[in-house]
Amino acid sequence: MRVPRTVVLSALACLVLPAVAFARCEGHMPQPKPQNTFPQDIGRSFDRILEEGWIEFALYEDFPPWSHEEKGEVRGVDVEIGRLIAAALGVEPRFRLVQAGETLDADLINYVWKGAVVGGHVSDVMLHVPYDSDYACRIEQVTFTGQYAQEAIAIAYDKAVYPDEGPTPPYFRFDTVAVENDSIADFHLTSLLGPVDKTRRYRSTTLAVDALAGGETMAAMGPRAQLQAGIAAHPVATLTVHEPPLVGLARGKWTLGVGVNFQHKDLAYAVDDAIAAALADGRIAAIFKAQGLTFEPPAR
């Protein structure tokens, strides 16, 4: 921040700016400094990225339609967003498919600000990072920026089975539904309905949609984009997706963005500018349309 030239402006800055700048994280105590831990990999500076001519994006593996490998090539919405960011920076995009950990905290440690204990390194940017204001205040080592879309929990079903209206969670006291094991949809149905035997659990949302398309269940519940991608893989014209009200679910919709090591603010600003431009001119909406997915603009 530039120092004001007058005494009056200096006084106002001292009195007003701190309250404005830090009100969002008011009440959050600074995290303790890590001690007796393995050294941190702080990653590459923005200047080094530009000098070396490439940028590495961390993407979740086996995660269609966002990021997955097909015939030796990395594909998906997040891949295309990474490419437009790299193009805006004038560098080559490189993609690193990574495993999802038990928590988002673990993923950010391993891929954004510290690196895994054995053979790990941080990537320049991690895509598909959910944005939450309170969470961003708590995880100080990551700059959360570049919000590019919203995702929501939805229900896929067969219109031949439900011709009048799409099913809602109370239907699944009696009707079978497929979910990914230990997912938001799984937890929501369990908390709402209790241990009913109509919920069928699968290793992924993709397999849950496969079960619906194969007639094993009457519906599937999970993230909207994954349901839509799963339906696209099956030539069943009557399969569709809807988003009914989900009573009792605190967070049925969330914003997707990127994570950058907090020590590289200039890189974070450049990435956010690239995404903002692509949102404004419709390029990100076009990526979703090309994949046959619903695009919902993010809250920025």
Side-chain angles (χ1 to χ4, degrees):
M1 182 179 67
R2 294 176 181 173
V3 178
R5 294 182 181 275
T6 67
V7 175
V8 174
L9 288 178
S10 296
L12 288 175
C14 292
L15 292 173
V16 178
L17 288 181
V20 174
F22 300 109
R24 184 175 66 84
C25 293
E26 187 177 1
H28 283 267
M29 296 297 293
Q31 291 184 317
K33 301 299 182 184
Q35 297 179 358
N36 301 322
T37 61
F38 61 93
Q40 294 184 24
D41 172 14
I42 66 171
R44 300 185 303 153
S45 68
F46 188 28
D47 287 341
R48 182 180 166 192
I49 289 170
L50 296 178
E51 180 182 345
E52 296 182 352
W54 59 274
I55 184 170
E56 182 181 272
F57 297 96
L59 311 173
Y60 287 115
E61 66 178 7
D62 194 22
F63 191 39
W66 301 101
S67 48
H68 61 106
E69 189 170 350
E70 184 178 332
K71 298 179 180 179
E73 183 178 349
V74 181
R75 301 176 182 270
V77 171
D78 288 338
V79 174
E80 297 305 317
I81 291 174
R83 285 179 176 145
L84 68 81
I85 292 171
L89 302 184
V91 296
E92 170 199 345
R94 298 183 183 180
F95 301 104
R96 172 191 180 194
L97 294 180
V98 300
Q99 291 185 339
E102 290 294 325
T103 64
L104 179 58
D105 290 38
D107 294 341
L108 295 174
I109 289 173
N110 289 334
Y111 310 128
V112 177
W113 68 268
K114 195 168 188 177
V117 176
V118 179
H121 76 277
V122 302
S123 296
D124 301 313
V125 178
M126 185 171 186
L127 288 162
H128 211 90
V129 176
Y131 178 78
D132 176 81
S133 181
D134 289 338
Y135 186 77
C137 289
R138 183 167 68 82
I139 306 299
E140 300 168 352
Q141 299 91 341
V142 178
T143 298
F144 297 88
T145 187
Q147 290 80 35
Y148 56 87
Q150 286 201 83
E151 178 63 297
I153 296 297
I155 296 176
Y157 66 99
D158 191 332
K159 289 184 289 186
V161 177
Y162 299 100
D164 297 325
E165 62 179 5
T168 61
Y171 280 58
F172 305 134
R173 291 184 182 276
F174 311 101
D175 297 350
T176 54
V177 58
V179 298
E180 180 177 345
N181 189 43
D182 289 340
S183 64
I184 295 175
D186 186 5
F187 293 144
H188 176 61
L189 291 179
T190 300
S191 65
L192 181 69
L193 305 178
V196 296
D197 63 355
K198 300 301 181 180
T199 302
R200 309 292 165 78
R201 296 169 176 84
Y202 296 84
R203 187 174 56 83
S204 68
T205 301
T206 299
L207 293 177
V209 179
D210 289 346
L212 166 63
E216 297 175 31
T217 64
M218 300 169 69
M221 186 172 176
R224 177 180 59 206
Q226 291 175 262
L227 294 176
Q228 291 177 330
I231 287 176
H234 296 281
V236 181
T238 54
L239 294 182
T240 191
V241 174
H242 77 140
E243 297 174 52
L246 300 176
V247 178
L249 183 58
R251 183 65 63 87
K253 182 175 292 189
W254 59 96
T255 299
L256 299 174
V258 309
V260 178
N261 190 298
F262 79 110
Q263 299 182 73
H264 304 309
K265 294 289 188 182
D266 50 355
L267 172 61
Y269 295 143
V271 169
D272 188 65
D273 286 345
I275 288 174
L279 285 169
D281 64 19
R283 281 177 290 156
I284 289 182
I287 290 172
F288 281 78
K289 184 177 181 180
Q291 299 271 352
L293 307 174
T294 298
F295 172 65
E296 188 171 352
R300 287 175 60 87

